[in-house]
Amino acid sequence: MKRIDLHIHSRASDGQLTPAAVVNAAAAGRLDVIALTDHDTADGWVDGRRAAEELGIGFVPGLEISCKLNGISVHLLGYLPDPTYAPLANDLQVVREGRTDRIPTIVARLNSIGVPVTVDEVLAQATGTPSVGRPHVADALVANGTVANRSEAFDRFLADGRAGHVPHYALEPGQAIDLVREAGGVPVIAHPWGRSSYKVMTEETLGRLVQDHGLAGIEVDHQDHSTADRAELRGIAADLDLVVTGSSDHHGLGKVDHDLGVNTTDPEHYERLLALAGDPLGG
Ligand SMILES: [Zn+2]
Ligand SMILES: [Zn+2]
């Protein structure tokens, strides 16, 4: 059976491997299809696709779009959208700029509680990406010995509610779903019951996103979801006739327990997802 991993990050956002290295690692790990889904950027697609073609594995270009619902962070995966569709490209740029702009504020807040880090140290961890964010602050804290790994950096300093957490601009999920569909892509809510999004991603909300905006799927098999969560989310997906995906949300070695292929997508659901691409809004 085909092994399909539909949520992977590279250095084009906050992953630790270049797009080509990610594809190489996926091929070495005997994955048949991968999606590159960097945060708010399509910058890794060209290199990723070229490497995938050379190695003969399937490549799905994707995005993970930063959204917010009632102040709670929600991530939307968009598969196969046209990245040159201007309304989508413009909004992604606004999201990226908002994230980068807050780095000095995050650094100042950390300094104020006695954590030693500079903006230059953060930027040094973010080469090759237009999407600088908290993971790069975390990497700077690892590099200067303040913490052991990214998870510790988030738990102690960067997660929602911690001293170094500064909100940034994000789209409403409904708005992001519309943009992805207008761009011919397929919208799937990432880890709906993840660390914060479980507060807002109720069956009722998901139902509304399906009905009003054409949400196509939900990521069920993700490391943020317990076995019980996955069973319940499968039931919701069946009720709402949604595509079910499974993925690693791989970021390289810095994010533990997210090895490539740790979760995979059923080939039947993958085919359903592909069939929805290129179908314009209302078409
Ligand atoms: Zn995410
Ligand atoms: Zn992700």
Side-chain angles (χ1 to χ4, degrees):
M1 187 157 110
K2 264 192 183 179
R3 295 182 71 229
I4 303 162
D5 186 341
L6 292 182
H7 182 169
I8 299 174
H9 297 269
S10 75
R11 284 195 79 89
S13 64
D14 58 349
Q16 293 176 319
L17 301 174
T18 64
V22 166
V23 172
N24 272 286
R30 293 188 301 109
L31 284 165
D32 301 294
V33 177
I34 63 160
L36 188 64
T37 53
D38 278 304
H39 294 286
D40 309 304
T41 179
D43 274 18
W45 291 6
V46 170
D47 288 353
R49 185 186 279 118
R50 189 186 304 126
E53 278 169 6
E54 277 168 15
L55 292 164
I57 71 170
F59 181 82
V60 182
L63 300 165
E64 185 172 21
I65 304 176
S66 307
C67 302
K68 232 170 234 175
L69 187 59
N70 302 330
I72 305 289
S73 174
V74 173
H75 288 169
L76 180 78
L77 294 160
Y79 295 104
L80 296 150
D82 173 1
T84 66
Y85 176 62
L88 175 63
N90 293 342
D91 272 351
L92 292 179
Q93 190 180 348
V94 172
V95 171
R96 291 196 303 266
E97 286 171 358
R99 187 186 289 117
T100 305
D101 288 351
R102 73 187 174 147
I103 297 298
T105 312
I106 294 175
V107 165
R109 287 204 190 173
L110 291 175
N111 292 164
S112 76
I113 60 162
V115 177
V117 65
T118 66
V119 171
D120 284 347
E121 283 175 353
V122 175
L123 296 180
Q125 297 296 328
T127 51
T129 174
S131 190
V132 187
R134 282 183 292 174
H136 303 107
V137 179
D139 289 347
L141 295 175
V142 175
N144 73 19
T146 304
V147 295
N149 52 46
R150 274 190 187 181
S151 303
E152 186 188 346
F154 271 82
D155 290 346
R156 289 177 59 193
F157 303 121
L158 298 170
D160 291 20
R162 300 291 176 200
H165 181 248
V166 179
H168 65 88
Y169 172 75
L171 297 164
E172 290 272 330
Q175 213 182 342
I177 290 168
D178 290 347
L179 287 170
V180 166
R181 293 199 61 206
E182 288 164 17
V186 185
V188 173
I189 294 283
H191 43 76
W193 289 356
R195 274 174 297 250
S196 60
S197 48
Y198 73 93
K199 295 174 194 161
V200 289
M201 281 296 128
T202 58
E203 177 159 11
E204 193 193 342
T205 302
L206 289 166
R208 196 159 36 76
L209 292 174
V210 173
Q211 189 138 36
D212 298 351
H213 300 278
L215 175 67
I218 54 175
E219 185 179 56
V220 169
D221 290 301
H222 184 280
Q223 296 300 82
D224 283 359
H225 296 155
S226 68
T227 307
D229 287 345
R230 296 179 191 205
E232 210 172 323
L233 283 166
R234 269 201 174 73
I236 291 174
D239 288 349
L240 298 173
D241 195 26
L242 288 168
V243 172
V244 167
T245 68
S247 352
S248 63
D249 203 356
H250 183 72
H251 283 72
L253 298 175
K255 190 166 177 178
V256 292
D257 196 28
H258 287 262
D259 296 339
L260 285 168
V262 63
N263 300 299
T264 54
T265 297
D266 183 299
E268 235 172 79
H269 282 265
Y270 172 60
E271 293 301 330
R272 264 181 77 186
L273 188 149
L274 289 184
L276 291 168
D279 181 22
L281 191 64

